[in-house]
């Protein structure tokens, strides 16, 4: 009999209950017991949803982040929170979120650094290590949850992060080698396994997802050492990898002395046979056949074709699961009552994916006839998706086939375009601008929500938005900014705004996934060929432009960013989908240009997010991603200035690609620290114009003129002033007007001061 299990379930709750409880707790509106009660209720509900599985995951639930949980499990708290008052949960949130100094004497504590969990949009708290790090196990919370699951009638399978991946995910803060800590870490894991065995667990899922990355020899060796050290007879370890193929690590993985392996059989579908062949006698193979990273129904009949012979060979040594934790998909499709029924019939969220696992296991164990009706429905849904006119638009396909290299090329090189643009824009030395959004006040959000609910009619809504745009223009003129923006009041989200207007997208109501802590995102679902039925931004931008003589930048989200922040169709290569998005953005760019807009910014905030986990695959991604951007941007005349924006400054490893985008101006994040600013330009030499952010919009602080002058001077050491722009790090939508106005006033003053110095220097030269 094939067995079923799950690697992890979304923690936020079908209605984001965890988010709301956490935020209330942090604001002091509910007490600890109430928060714990919500946590308990969510776990009970999640296990209930997984009750049909042979084993349910335990330890996947978290009040913030499972990597931070692991740090607490292992007693690895940063030095700066040790000894502060409060209990474990206080300390936990302190590391997660930091704490600012307050009037009644609490000390400032810096939050732990956050970074992306492999190639997902989930962010974990980076474990901190130094040469003195010691580990002391505290398994109490995990053990309590095991009891919690048992008391609900489930068979628990604890889920823990493996020791080598844990070290790999962290950073050394004193330059020492994290791997030196392995001998100290392994006893804590051995103790943990003792405790789990004592608690009566049989199987434990231990995640070592670094097995799908390109491992340096010392990390591969660390896995060997760790797992030979942790080898035991009284507990069955399921060594778990996901997010990709094992490739050259396959033999290593299957040589480790554990009782079973879980592999990603979606992205690693081509490795299934190799995994079966490598499986030692008597051991378990868990195949992650249901895609945990996307929202499409699986082809159950095709999977059964694949699985039946493997099941015949392995019997009850075959386990079935989603490819990875379901953390990365929304909870339950049944809530999406507004979705077009045909489109909904193509989808599966976490709940539905578990049902698919159940159907597969039944069909394997009792014959396909036991699930005949479900399998027939599944086949019908897949056929409907395959044949639907919603997914294929011949005109779009024809346009795509007609793309030539010319489409991605500007008419002239930068050196020839720049003077034309500077004249068209009347661009001063060190021009000042912002990244797009202005503060999104409560009123704006309420107006948008009322319009959405139908409580406000279109004309009242348009009037309200225009008033807001007029306010943004007025404020920017008063500040003396050079290139203005309309402020983006009409946008809820930089991707969803476009997804709502393009054909080929569906928008869900509750399709939230955790981004970090209490923060969730609701990716749109891209199911079909992309067509732009009408201009998306032109009215707003031209209205803004009509109010001022200064140039107003058109503001768009780029094709790569739309792609990377969306659940994308899986029936064609991502590249093809990205090119379709590029064509839609290109049409918008050309419409803006025709409407007299002289500068157009195409944000590619998520370009890096699409980088594959394996470096050897980076270039092929970058090639098409950059070409997609070029197609979207480069159809314009020389006079039109193309801007792009990226919310980070790590470019060393992709410099050539960034340069190849050939944007006239790029704005990037750099305000956080002086060191970083110089570091960036040590290696990043951008041949066109560049605006290193001099105002850190992530902080409520108002930077002084002197601070920004100092940053600009640093930048001017590496970038000729003729190519330097002055702008904040990112959009201003999360800030308030009373922070933004003084900060931008200082920014404009800083630019003027430097401009004056430069003119004096020129005059005396
Ligand atoms: N134009 C967007 C804004 O200003 C850019 C946001 C982003 O880069 N994340 O809000
Ligand atoms: Zn940004």
């Amino acid at each position: 009999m094939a067995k079923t299990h799950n690697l992890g379930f979304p923690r936020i709750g079908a209605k984001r209950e965890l988010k709301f409880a956490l935020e209330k707790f942090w604001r002091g509106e509910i007490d600890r017991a109430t928060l714990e009660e919500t946590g308990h209720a969510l776990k009970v509900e999640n296990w209930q949803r997984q009750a049909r599985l042979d084993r349910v995951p335990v330890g996947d639930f978290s009040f913030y982040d499972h990597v931070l949980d692991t740090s607490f499990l292992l007693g690895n708290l940063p030095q700066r929170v040790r000894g502060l008052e409060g209990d474990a949960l206080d300390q936990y949130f302190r590391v997660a979120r930091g704490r600012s100094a307050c009037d009644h004497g609490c000390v400032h504590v810096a939050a732990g650094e956050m970074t992306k969990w492999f190639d997902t949009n989930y962010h974990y708290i980076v474990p901190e290590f130094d040469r003195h790090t010691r580990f002391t196990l505290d398994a109490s919370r995990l053990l309590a949850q095991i009891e919690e699951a048992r008391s609900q009638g489930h068979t628990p399978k604890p889920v823990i992060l493996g020791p080598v991946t844990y070290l790999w995910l962290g950073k050394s803060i004193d330059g020492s080698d994290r791997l030196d800590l392995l001998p100290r870490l392994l006893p804590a894991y051995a103790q943990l396994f003792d405790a789990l065995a004592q608690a009566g667990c049989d199987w434990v899922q231990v995640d070592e997802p670094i097995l799908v990355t390109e491992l340096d020899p010392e990390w591969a060796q660390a896995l060997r050492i760790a797992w030979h050290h942790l080898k035991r007879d009284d507990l069955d370890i399921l060594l778990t990898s996901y997010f990709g193929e094992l490739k050259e690590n396959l033999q290593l993985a299957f040589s480790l002395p554990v009782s079973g392996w879980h592999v990603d059989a979606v992205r690693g579908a081509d490795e299934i046979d190799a995994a079966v062949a490598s499986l030692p006698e008597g051991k378990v193979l868990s195949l992650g056949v249901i895609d945990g990273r996307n929202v499409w129904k699986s082809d159950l009949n095709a999977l059964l074709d694949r699985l039946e012979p493997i099941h015949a060979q392995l019997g009850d040594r075959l386990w079935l699961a989603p490819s990875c934790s379901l953390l990365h998909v929304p909870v339950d499709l049944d809530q999406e009552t507004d979705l077009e029924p045909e489109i909904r019939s193509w989808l599966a969220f976490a709940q539905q994916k578990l049902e698919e696992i159940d159907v597969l296991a039944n069909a394997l164990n009792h014959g396909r006839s036991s699930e005949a009706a479900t399998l027939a429905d599944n086949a019908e849904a897949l056929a409907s998706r395959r044949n639907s006119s919603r997914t294929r638009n011949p005109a779009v396909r024809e346009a795509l086939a007609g793309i030539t290299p010319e489409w991605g090329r500007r008419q002239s090189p930068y050196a020839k375009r720049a003077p034309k643009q500077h004249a068209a824009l009347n661009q001063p030395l060190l021009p000042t601008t912002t990244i797009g959004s202005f503060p999104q006040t409560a009123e704006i959000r309420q107006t948008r929500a009322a319009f959405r609910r139908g409580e406000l009619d279109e004309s009242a809504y348009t009037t309200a938005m225009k008033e807001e745009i007029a306010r943004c223009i007025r404020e920017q003129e008063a500040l003396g900014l050079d290139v203005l923006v309309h402020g983006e009041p009409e946008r809820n989200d930089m991707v969803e705004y476009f997804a709502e207007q393009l054909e080929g997208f569906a928008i869900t109501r509750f399709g939230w996934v955790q981004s970090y802590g209490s923060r969730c995102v609701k990716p749109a679902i891209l199911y079909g060929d992309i067509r732009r039925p009408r201009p998306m931004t032109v009215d707003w931008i031209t209205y803004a432009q009509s109010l001022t003589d200064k140039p107003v930048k058109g503001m768009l989200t780029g094709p790569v960013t739309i792609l990377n922040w969306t659940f994308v169709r899986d029936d064609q290569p991502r590249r093809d989908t990205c090119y379709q998005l590029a064509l839609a953005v290109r049409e918008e760019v050309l419409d803006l240009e025709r409407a007299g807009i002289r500068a157009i910014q195409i944000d590619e905030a998520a370009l890096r997010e699409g980088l594959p986990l394996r470096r050897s695959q980076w270039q092929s991604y970058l090639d098409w991603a950059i070409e997609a951007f070029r197609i979207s941007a480069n159809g314009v005349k020389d006079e039109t200035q193309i801007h792009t924006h990226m919310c980070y400054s790590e470019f060393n490893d992709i410099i050539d690609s960034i340069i190849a985008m050939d944007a006239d101006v790029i704005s990037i994040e750099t305000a956080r620290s002086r060191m970083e600013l110089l570091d960036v330009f040590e290696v990043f030499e951008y041949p066109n114009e560049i605006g290193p952010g001099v105002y850190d919009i992530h902080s409520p602080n108002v930077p002084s003129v002197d601070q920004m002058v100092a940053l600009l001077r640093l930048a001017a050491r590496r970038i000729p002033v003729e190519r330097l722009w002055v702008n904040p790090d990112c959009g201003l939508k999360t800030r308030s007007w009373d922070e933004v106005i003084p900060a931008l006033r200082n920014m404009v003053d800083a630019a003027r001061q430097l401009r004056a110095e430069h003119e004096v220097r020129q005059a005396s030269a």
Side-chain angles (χ1 to χ4, degrees):
M1 299 276 258
K3 298 268 193 305
T4 58
H5 71 127
N6 182 24
L7 273 51
F9 199 81
R11 340 167 154 126
I12 52 167
K15 294 255 156 62
R16 285 183 295 162
E17 293 88 340
L18 182 61
K19 170 195 178 69
F20 299 119
L22 281 170
E23 290 172 359
K24 280 191 190 137
F25 177 72
W26 294 333
R27 286 195 300 263
E29 291 165 22
I30 59 170
D31 62 9
R32 163 75 51 89
T34 315
L35 177 65
E36 297 271 7
E37 189 43 50
T38 304
H40 175 71
L42 280 169
K43 278 179 271 182
V44 169
E45 182 190 324
N46 290 351
W47 287 326
Q48 204 59 51
R49 289 175 180 276
Q50 303 175 83
R52 304 249 282 279
L53 301 175
D54 292 307
R55 283 191 174 72
V56 300
V58 173
D60 56 332
F61 180 82
S62 172
F63 274 126
Y64 202 95
D65 164 41
H66 58 275
V67 181
L68 185 58
D69 291 356
T70 310
S71 292
F72 274 71
L73 173 78
L74 297 168
N76 178 32
L77 314 197
Q79 203 54 48
R80 61 183 186 278
V81 301
R82 288 172 195 260
L84 296 177
E85 92 290 356
D87 64 6
L89 197 68
D90 289 326
Q91 293 197 327
Y92 179 83
F93 287 135
R94 224 166 261 156
V95 182
R97 312 177 58 231
R99 186 182 68 183
S100 45
C102 73
D103 299 340
H104 39 274
C106 38
V107 253
H108 165 82
V109 179
E113 190 179 314
M114 247 178 352
T115 196
K116 266 163 58 81
W117 172 246
F118 296 88
D119 62 349
T120 73
N121 203 4
Y122 175 84
H123 301 76
Y124 70 92
I125 305 276
V126 179
E128 295 174 30
F129 304 115
D130 62 39
R131 65 188 78 248
H132 305 297
T133 300
R134 295 278 184 289
F135 302 96
T136 30
L137 180 75
D138 174 5
S140 56
R141 284 190 81 88
L142 183 60
L143 293 171
Q145 292 181 69
I146 290 169
E147 281 320 307
E148 221 175 341
R150 282 206 181 112
S151 73
Q152 302 293 319
H154 306 288
T155 305
K157 179 202 57 181
V159 174
I160 55 182
L161 199 51
V164 185
T165 294
Y166 177 69
L167 288 177
W168 189 87
L169 290 169
K171 67 166 188 190
S172 158
I173 55 175
D174 64 352
S176 58
D177 185 348
R178 286 165 287 167
L179 278 177
D180 291 346
L181 297 175
L182 192 62
R184 279 184 224 156
L185 180 57
L186 294 179
Y189 270 84
Q191 259 179 31
L192 173 61
F193 292 156
D194 288 343
L196 294 174
Q198 221 145 59
C201 296
D202 51 359
W203 281 92
V204 180
Q205 171 189 326
V206 189
D207 293 5
E208 292 282 16
I210 61 168
L211 279 163
V212 308
T213 69
E214 287 149 337
L215 290 173
D216 287 336
E218 61 271 26
W219 287 94
Q221 184 59 11
L223 282 165
R224 277 182 213 106
I225 292 170
W227 286 102
H228 281 93
H229 183 90
L230 293 172
K231 176 174 186 263
R232 56 197 301 147
D233 306 321
D234 57 346
L235 203 58
D236 288 314
I237 305 284
L238 184 74
L239 188 77
T240 302
S241 63
Y242 38 77
F243 300 150
E245 296 177 297
L246 292 164
K247 287 191 185 275
E248 72 282 5
N249 299 327
L250 190 132
Q251 288 317 318
L252 162 66
F254 282 89
S255 72
L256 300 176
V258 293
S259 306
W261 289 263
H262 169 88
V263 297
D264 183 337
V266 175
R267 293 189 177 178
D270 293 344
E271 284 185 339
I272 295 177
D273 292 334
V276 174
S278 309
L279 187 69
E281 200 55 42
K283 307 275 171 151
V284 162
L285 181 63
S286 163
L287 291 179
V289 288
I290 302 294
D291 193 352
R293 294 291 300 277
N294 213 331
V295 292
W296 306 104
K297 238 175 215 175
S298 307
D299 185 341
L300 298 179
N301 295 285
L303 279 174
L304 286 171
D305 292 344
R306 191 81 181 85
L307 289 170
E308 275 165 353
I310 301 173
H311 183 232
Q313 191 183 336
L314 298 181
D316 59 4
R317 297 195 288 131
L318 174 65
W319 290 18
L320 300 177
S323 59
C324 58
S325 165
L326 296 174
L327 183 63
H328 312 290
V329 292
V331 176
D332 192 351
L333 184 66
D334 287 348
Q335 300 189 105
E336 301 298 334
T337 45
D338 294 349
L339 269 186
E340 188 66 45
E342 190 190 10
I343 295 170
R344 198 176 58 196
S345 78
W346 304 340
L347 300 172
F349 292 178
Q351 178 70 47
Q352 288 69 37
K353 286 174 187 287
L354 294 176
E355 288 159 16
E356 292 185 334
I357 300 275
D358 196 47
V359 173
L360 287 176
N362 282 337
L364 288 179
N365 294 336
H366 311 294
R368 291 196 198 199
S369 56
S370 67
E371 292 285 356
T374 318
L375 291 173
D377 285 353
N378 177 262
E380 196 185 317
L382 266 97
S384 133
R385 183 173 168 213
R386 225 174 1 251
N387 304 324
S388 173
S389 57
R390 294 174 192 278
T391 62
R392 299 178 70 86
N393 181 330
V396 173
R397 304 217 156 219
E398 204 175 303
L400 211 66
I403 296 178
T404 65
E406 301 307 296
W407 287 50
R409 262 181 238 140
R410 292 294 293 260
Q411 289 170 351
S412 315
Y414 166 76
K416 207 158 155 221
R417 325 192 281 264
K420 297 189 198 172
Q421 292 167 13
H422 297 172
L425 291 165
N426 200 9
Q427 183 174 314
L429 188 71
L430 293 159
T432 54
T433 191
T434 62
I435 306 305
S437 56
F438 266 86
Q440 293 234 336
T441 58
E443 293 93 297
I444 299 179
R445 288 173 198 279
Q446 278 154 19
T447 308
R448 265 203 323 259
F451 177 52
R452 209 166 266 270
R453 286 195 300 265
E455 294 160 17
L456 199 68
D457 68 22
E458 171 128 28
S459 89
Y461 170 75
T462 307
T463 307
M465 290 300 122
K466 284 190 167 173
E467 271 167 23
E468 192 58 36
I469 290 172
R471 173 191 190 178
C472 289
I473 297 292
R474 251 189 342 265
E475 297 288 3
Q476 293 173 85
E477 290 210 304
L479 285 162
L481 286 154
D482 299 307
V483 176
L484 313 192
V485 296
H486 78 295
E488 304 181 22
E490 78 287 9
R491 300 186 192 177
N492 40 353
D493 172 277
M494 67 188 285
V495 173
E496 196 175 69
Y497 177 75
F498 293 95
E500 277 174 339
Q501 301 189 69
L502 290 166
E503 281 176 17
F505 276 103
I507 310 287
T508 64
R509 277 185 68 197
F510 301 104
W512 298 96
V513 292
Q514 188 177 23
S515 171
Y516 64 88
S518 68
R519 270 285 263 276
C520 303
V521 293
K522 185 159 69 65
I525 297 174
L526 191 163
Y527 64 83
D529 287 347
I530 297 298
R531 190 177 82 93
R532 188 194 69 141
R534 64 191 68 84
M536 304 180 282
T537 65
V538 175
D539 284 350
W540 302 120
I541 308 293
T542 49
Y543 172 70
Q545 183 65 82
S546 75
L547 302 173
T548 176
D549 296 332
K550 295 264 179 78
V552 174
K553 264 193 288 191
M555 201 52 66
L556 304 173
T557 302
V560 188
T561 296
I562 297 179
L563 184 86
N564 286 341
W565 280 343
T566 298
F567 286 120
V568 177
R569 63 194 294 179
D570 59 354
D571 57 353
Q572 67 181 22
R574 289 173 73 82
R575 183 202 54 210
D576 295 0
T577 307
C578 197
Y579 280 21
Q580 290 188 4
L581 290 164
L583 287 182
V585 176
R586 178 184 174 98
E587 288 174 16
E588 188 74 12
V589 166
L590 296 176
D591 273 347
L592 284 167
E593 182 181 61
R594 260 190 296 273
I597 300 303
R598 290 163 279 166
I600 299 164
Q601 178 174 313
I602 306 169
D603 292 329
E604 285 293 16
L607 180 84
R608 273 198 81 94
E609 312 223 342
L611 285 172
L613 280 173
R614 288 173 180 268
R615 261 192 195 240
S616 54
Q617 296 162 358
W618 277 22
Q619 199 53 48
S620 63
Y621 161 74
L622 286 168
D623 286 347
W624 59 254
I626 299 308
E627 186 58 18
F629 177 87
R630 293 172 57 106
I631 290 167
S632 73
N634 289 351
V636 295
K637 294 184 295 210
D638 282 354
E639 287 75 10
T640 303
Q641 191 171 57
I642 294 290
H643 293 231
T644 189
H645 164 72
M646 295 178 194
C647 308
Y648 43 80
S649 59
E650 312 126 48
F651 294 111
N652 335 3
D653 43 9
I654 53 169
I655 288 181
D656 294 339
S657 301
I658 301 290
I659 291 172
M661 289 165 74
D662 199 21
D664 296 300
V665 186
I666 182 171
S667 59
I668 62 173
E669 181 201 296
T670 48
R672 286 208 201 151
S673 89
R674 299 169 149 246
M675 251 325 282
E676 280 172 24
L677 186 85
L678 268 194
D679 283 356
V680 172
F681 297 114
E682 196 73 53
V683 282
F684 181 60
E685 213 176 303
Y686 191 66
N688 305 354
E689 291 160 51
I690 179 163
V694 292
Y695 163 21
D696 175 8
I697 62 94
H698 300 99
S699 143
N701 299 337
V702 170
S704 68
V705 178
D706 289 348
Q707 277 167 345
M708 288 191 273
V709 166
L711 282 171
L712 285 168
R713 285 218 174 93
L714 280 182
R717 282 208 232 151
R718 301 254 184 253
I719 307 160
V721 275
E722 293 72 23
R723 291 198 279 114
L724 196 54
W725 282 65
V726 181
N727 49 257
D729 264 348
C730 193
L732 302 167
K733 70 174 174 193
T734 56
R735 300 261 65 91
S736 65
W737 277 105
D738 53 339
E739 293 157 355
V740 160
I741 295 284
L744 291 180
R745 186 178 299 129
N746 290 350
M747 189 185 89
V748 171
D749 281 353
R752 286 185 179 147
Q753 191 174 317
L754 244 79
R755 228 175 260 165
E757 284 173 21
H758 191 77
E759 272 148 23
V760 170
R761 214 171 307 139
Q762 290 234 302
S764 61

